[in-house]
Amino acid sequence: MLRKRIKGIVLASAISVMIGIIISLIMSGTLKHPVSAYLWNAGYSLSLGLPLFSTGFFYEWFACRLIDWIKKPVKSVVISVILNLGYSFVIILLVNWFWQILLLKQSWESFWTSNQAIFYIEIIVFVVIASIIYASEFFKSWVNQVRETEKIKLQAQSLHYQVLQNQVNPHFLFNCLNVLGSLIDLDVSKAKKFNRELSLFYSDLLMLKDTDIISLKEETDFVKRYVYLQQIRYGEALQVDFIANERIAGKVIPLTLQSLVENAIKHNEISMANPLQIVIAISDNHELVVENNYQPKKPLEESGKTGLKNLADRYRFLTGKEMIITKNDNYFRVSLPLIQIDL
């Protein structure tokens, strides 16, 4: 990295000196100048050229923090033009003050009279070079955005498939049918309700698998149906509480809550002696929180954690915020930022 920067500085220095010599030739018509004139020209050219070629470092260090080419293109163009002109004007003014006024003892009036055209040319060159750098950053951001979008789409398809696959696997169906069979003998009315909820659950699942974002209410209604099916199986050993601030608005990725609840059920012991307690909450700072008491099954089930990673990546892409996982000996908590869409 250091070697690359040194090579860049050497190349920028050589180009700057060459441009200075070419401009001197164009203006004077000859290359017959004393050595002191060449040294002065080289110093002046380097003082202008190095800041010009380091515009990219200025962009990375400062400008990129204020510019978002994808989400706010108009604002970014305005900011880049202002920064571009400001940076160019300050550098050119300082360089000419040092070389023309401080060293050559020129007055501002005589400097401006004799160098006005050069001053404008330098501004134009600076702006053109900086604009090329900013344009390259725009296309780089655009390409990265396209790649990230495609990555998120692939992850979304993977997550939808994984959740759908998990729900239609033989174990889930086997457990549901066993529960249904038992209910038919014990409580026909309850069996009918269970059958209806199971049917509606799969109907919703098939509808949601092709949807990118849904309302918080839709997701909550869906997971309540899933919880009902699981509570019929586990009884009071599975306890799920919903705590929500009704004033909080936001959207979520479909099957988010279902995936997190299923993750808790899959990896924790559930029994009357050790009931699993899950809390689903929407906090005042627009976060979706799913927390359960931590009582891992023995032996522990292997988990690739791809589902949680995919969720984290997608929410980071859609909100710019991180999914937070907190775990200790007592509880396991996942906090996700709600998706806010400006209409």
Side-chain angles (χ1 to χ4, degrees):
M1 187 67 178
L2 180 61
R3 176 181 288 184
K4 184 178 179 180
R5 290 197 173 183
I6 292 174
K7 287 177 65 177
I9 291 172
V10 172
L11 180 61
S13 300
I15 294 174
S16 300
V17 172
M18 287 300 299
I19 290 175
I21 293 174
I22 292 171
I23 292 176
S24 176
L25 174 63
I26 293 173
M27 296 185 65
S28 64
T30 180
L31 290 176
K32 295 180 180 180
H33 302 291
V35 175
S36 59
Y38 276 107
L39 292 176
W40 188 94
N41 185 281
Y44 180 81
S45 300
L46 286 173
S47 300
L48 281 175
L50 290 179
L52 172 61
F53 285 102
S54 60
T55 305
F57 296 109
F58 169 73
Y59 178 89
E60 291 179 5
W61 176 70
F62 180 72
C64 65
R65 303 177 187 181
L66 303 175
I67 292 174
D68 189 334
W69 293 111
I70 304 301
K71 294 182 179 178
K72 299 177 181 178
V74 176
K75 181 180 177 181
S76 297
V77 169
V78 172
I79 291 176
S80 64
V81 169
I82 294 173
L83 290 176
N84 200 336
L85 290 173
Y87 177 80
S88 302
F89 184 81
V90 169
I91 294 297
I92 292 171
L93 193 64
L94 287 175
V95 169
N96 280 284
W97 170 81
F98 178 79
W99 289 93
Q100 303 286 359
I101 296 174
L102 194 64
L103 295 185
L104 297 183
K105 308 298 182 182
Q106 280 189 320
S107 66
W108 277 105
E109 291 77 13
S110 62
F111 161 73
W112 188 248
T113 301
S114 58
N115 296 285
Q116 192 174 138
I118 294 178
F119 191 85
Y120 287 135
I121 291 173
E122 289 172 349
I123 286 283
I124 292 171
V125 171
F126 256 70
V127 169
V128 169
I129 298 296
S131 297
I132 293 172
I133 293 173
Y134 276 60
S136 68
E137 291 296 333
F138 163 75
F139 283 109
K140 188 186 298 182
S141 299
W142 178 74
V143 169
N144 290 337
Q145 181 82 357
V146 170
R147 288 176 178 171
E148 187 69 17
T149 301
E150 290 303 314
K151 177 183 174 183
I152 293 297
K153 285 182 179 179
L154 290 174
Q155 289 179 347
Q157 292 173 358
S158 173
L159 182 62
H160 283 317
Y161 175 74
Q162 180 184 0
V163 173
L164 185 61
Q165 186 184 47
N166 288 342
Q167 298 313 320
V168 297
N169 69 49
H171 292 291
F172 181 80
L173 288 174
F174 177 77
N175 291 328
C176 286
L177 291 175
N178 270 343
V179 171
L180 183 58
S182 300
L183 286 176
I184 290 174
D185 294 330
L186 298 174
D187 190 333
V188 175
S189 176
K190 201 170 185 179
K192 288 181 178 179
K193 183 179 179 182
F194 182 88
N195 184 62
R196 183 171 63 253
E197 291 295 324
L198 181 61
S199 175
L200 290 172
F201 172 79
Y202 274 101
S203 175
D204 289 347
L205 184 66
L206 293 173
M207 289 176 62
L208 292 176
K209 74 181 183 67
D210 295 319
T211 306
D212 293 324
I213 298 175
I214 61 173
S215 70
L216 187 57
K217 184 179 184 308
E218 288 176 298
E219 177 70 5
T220 304
D221 290 343
F222 177 75
V223 80
K224 284 181 178 178
R225 185 165 285 132
Y226 174 75
V227 167
Y228 169 80
L229 296 173
Q230 295 288 11
Q231 284 180 325
I232 293 295
R233 176 187 174 192
Y234 291 106
E236 294 183 2
L238 176 61
Q239 301 168 12
V240 182
D241 294 321
F242 292 84
I243 305 172
N245 185 336
E246 299 298 334
R247 296 173 299 172
I248 301 299
K251 294 184 179 295
V252 296
I253 297 169
L255 310 176
T256 294
L257 281 176
Q258 188 276 335
S259 299
L260 295 177
V261 171
E262 181 191 36
N263 188 66
I265 293 174
K266 180 180 179 182
H267 296 291
N268 288 277
E269 179 185 347
I270 305 176
S271 65
M272 293 301 295
N274 295 293
L276 179 64
Q277 299 171 330
I278 302 174
V279 176
I280 299 173
I282 291 87
S283 67
D284 290 341
N285 58 345
H286 295 83
E287 283 187 340
L288 181 63
V289 180
V290 177
E291 178 181 314
N292 63 271
N293 53 326
Y294 188 60
Q295 43 193 40
K297 289 181 178 178
K298 297 177 183 179
L300 293 174
E301 290 191 28
E302 291 187 7
S303 173
K305 298 183 179 179
T306 54
L308 288 178
K309 183 180 182 303
N310 285 348
L311 268 182
D313 290 344
R314 294 174 68 195
Y315 274 94
R316 185 188 306 113
F317 175 75
L318 292 171
T319 67
K321 299 178 182 179
E322 296 292 333
M323 180 180 84
I324 300 173
I325 297 177
T326 311
K327 183 179 75 169
N328 60 27
D329 293 336
N330 299 314
Y331 68 86
F332 184 91
R333 179 191 301 148
V334 178
S335 301
L336 283 165
L338 289 176
I339 300 168
Q340 305 296 322
I341 299 179
D342 299 326
L343 297 177

